[in-house]
Amino acid sequence: MTDDIEIKDKAAWDAAEKVADYEHGWSSDIETDFAPKGLNEDTVRFISAKKNEPEWMLEWRLKAFAMWKTMEAPDWAKLNVPPIDYQDAYYYAAPKAKPKLNSLEEVDPEILRVYEKLGIPIAEQKLLAGVEGGEDGGLPQRRVAVDAVFDSVSVATTFRAELERAGVIFRSISEAIKEYPDLVRKYLGKIVPMHDNYFATLNCAVFSDGTFVYIPEGVRCPMELSTYFRINAENTGQFERTLIVADKGSYVSYLEGCTAPMRDENQLHAAVVELVALDDAEIKYSTVQNWYPGDAEGKGGIYNFVTKRALCQGRNSKVSWTQVETGSAVTWKYPSCVLNGENSVGEFYSVAVTNNHQQADTGTKMIHNGKGSRSTIVSKGISAGHSNNTYRGLVRVAPNAEGVRNFTQCDSLLLGSLSGAHTVPYIEVRNPSAQIEHEATTSKISDDQMFYAMARGLNAEEAVALIVNGFAKEVLQQLPMEFAVEAQKLLGISLEGSVG
Amino acid sequence: MLQINNLHANVGDKPILKGLTLSLNAGEIHAVMGPNGAGKSTLGYVLSGRPGYEVTEGSVTFNGQDLLALEPHERAAAGLFLGFQYPVEIPGVSNVQFLREALNAQRKYRGEAPLTGGEFLKVAREQAGALGMDMEMLKRPVNVGFSGGEKKRNEMVQMGIIDPALAILDETDSGLDIDALRTVGDGINRIMRKPDKAVLLITHYQRLLDYVKPDFVHVLDGGRITRTGGAELALELERDGYKELAA
Ligand SMILES: Nc1ncnc2c1ncn2[C@@H]1O[C@H](COP(=O)(O)OP(=O)(O)O)[C@@H](O)[C@H]1O
Ligand SMILES: [Mg+2]
């Protein structure tokens, strides 16, 4: 106990020192950039100034902040979240800015260590860290462009040249705000409006960084785009902002993966992801989320309040969300599709694993406004330990949307007898031509299956991992190969200690 | 190879095995026959370490090792294979994935290098081919949608791939038509009829024994071995039934 208090005091002291550092104005030559602890208008101004944002962006943030102050946190989810002290957190932390580097040795070893843990090959690490010559240094075969978000700021963006040749814009959102202000302004906050919900509004005010992608008309993005998120500084809330625009007839597959190191204190993560697909465009958005879930007793862990929404604006447009959610103490997340375009398609494939004291309330909304729009929802919830796992889904069909179809499959798998699985489907159909199908199952891993697998040589944990992967297969096979393997391992790891 | 000595076991609170003694040497095939509910499957489960099957007395040694001290997966790695009377379905997991993971887990436990995908597929193809099983079936989820006979055949393919030292085959013959019976019988001989291997063939009927000639036949009744003889005992049982024998 005493140790805890001492550490806390030290953190406060360090923070106070940093605040003192900043008193001569928040110029960009400060090596370590922390916004002072707490949240007020100055925090918002600090973040905006730190990023040299144009005036319109600052105004937008301030407007959001004023709005947020009048709002209350939602409480409708099946989650038990202690009140969050928004003043007891940092809202901005940037890694040390270094201009040009000649070799990996010049990169902050701490940053490299994180890359290594993430399993990023050396050549790619060079690219990430912005090492000169990294780009032609015998690049690995894997065709994934990585935009690493280290803490809150993109350290580097890779594969830029090749993408640029294809006309694809793949930038940190801070860069995009400066380089492509018209494009950003056209869509930012248009899919998830500023007032959408408490956490989205907060994100508008204090978003630190994130990714911007634009795929021009008729272009098939030549590689998978990927962002690694990672919370690294203690007490730093993470407010990522992602905007992907797929112009007519374009295609892009985007991967988002998260890992987080062990932390004792709860950290808030409130990301906003906005996707827009125009006529005949397709976006495939895949997530593997394994933020720190807290320890076996339920201490610590990330609070993950995410707003993800796609606008299928064009006819025949398609957005497919695939998520594997294994981390976070609390997950509150409903990647959704607003299907405005005629014959547009929305898909949601989800695996959510909760163990120990984790809580997940996740699902999707399929809003059918377009004629002939179709959606598919496949949700696989796996609960172990004392955890609670809720699927919450809305299928809405507007009065003039003829010929809509939806298929929903919700399966829950329980491990042990102390965990909970809940399915909360909302179906609002205002057009009689709609065909809506909903199937739900709840099952347990049977003793027969366990013994069969063990009699063939698998230990209890391997047997559970195998059976769970089988259960989640329909979703896992939607992931790009590279992610699927990682995700399979992750399912097993997340359930460690849940048997035997 | 296997020495079962005065084995007593409960299922739940119910005593099922009541002092069973049996010895198998390498190179031997033993048949265990007996009426329904005699405890034949229980014997297989107890030897494989199924949870819920509690040994209350007696001992089992397998190649000099205390078998009962091992976890089920450790027994598998030590070379014991149980062919299930009712093979279990595992949705979403292909046979190929299941067996490769299982085999490599066993190899890892024994300190052997894992088989690569290619090496494994080669073995799998051979075994499936020998047992007349379509490779496409091996890519399907474990036992899901398989007929009774296909499941049993699949157990034999698994046995061929895993290549155990001791196989306990629990009513592998039930649910097989006459052609499948021959294929499975041939499979057992091919895979297990070797000087360093042994088989405990649990069966209800004598017909499998037309294909797999046992060196010994035991009658299991009331939780213990009541009679032991050669292959001719099976024929006697077939003719007279267990009741006659017990009387
Ligand atoms: N899970 C169980 N719970 C209670 N009794 C069981 C269970 N499994 C088997 N038994 C009983 O144990 C006895 C032996 O069963 P079993 O070993 O399956 O016989 P066999 O395979 O020889 O037909 C039977 O009386 C059966 O009802
Ligand atoms: Mg039986």
Side-chain angles (χ1 to χ4, degrees), chain B residues 11-12 14 16 34-43 53 85 170-171 220:
Chain B
V11 184
K14 192 173 160 195
I16 306 290
N36 271 328
K40 301 186 296 296
S41 291
T42 301
L43 175 62
Y53 289 72
Q85 183 175 0
D170 191 358
E171 302 213 17
L220 172 57

Side-chain angles (χ1 to χ4, degrees), chain A residues 250-276:
Chain A
S250 69
Y251 169 85
V252 63
S253 167
Y254 185 86
L255 322 178
E256 170 201 73
C258 315
T259 56
M262 301 274 283
R263 288 291 176 214
D264 243 357
E265 289 183 47
N266 292 308
Q267 289 182 304
L268 176 63
H269 182 86
V272 170
V273 176
E274 298 181 285
L275 312 183
V276 186

Side-chain angles (χ1 to χ4, degrees), chain B residues 80-137:
Chain B
L80 187 146
F81 178 90
L82 175 65
F84 282 62
Q85 183 175 0
Y86 304 108
V88 179
E89 300 182 4
I90 309 181
V93 179
S94 74
N95 282 292
V96 169
Q97 185 193 357
F98 178 59
L99 285 168
R100 182 168 169 222
E101 284 193 24
L103 184 59
N104 280 339
Q106 289 193 22
R107 294 176 68 89
K108 187 175 165 198
Y109 187 83
R110 296 192 292 256
E112 299 163 8
L115 291 190
T116 64
E119 289 166 340
F120 173 79
L121 280 178
K122 185 169 174 285
V123 177
R125 205 168 279 128
E126 277 167 19
Q127 293 301 330
L131 281 145
M133 191 192 222
D134 193 345
M135 225 14 222
E136 282 310 305
M137 258 182 103

Side-chain angles (χ1 to χ4, degrees), chain B residues 36-83:
Chain B
N36 271 328
K40 301 186 296 296
S41 291
T42 301
L43 175 62
Y45 286 147
V46 167
L47 293 177
S48 324
R50 180 164 192 148
Y53 289 72
E54 190 203 354
V55 174
T56 52
E57 210 183 316
S59 66
V60 182
T61 43
F62 177 48
N63 285 333
Q65 232 181 335
D66 177 5
L67 187 71
L68 301 178
L70 301 180
E71 295 273 311
H73 67 282
E74 297 171 322
R75 299 184 196 198
L80 187 146
F81 178 90
L82 175 65

Side-chain angles (χ1 to χ4, degrees), chain B residues 21-34:
Chain B
T21 298
L22 186 63
S23 259
L24 271 81
N25 295 314
E28 294 176 353
I29 293 183
H30 291 234
V32 172
M33 304 181 76

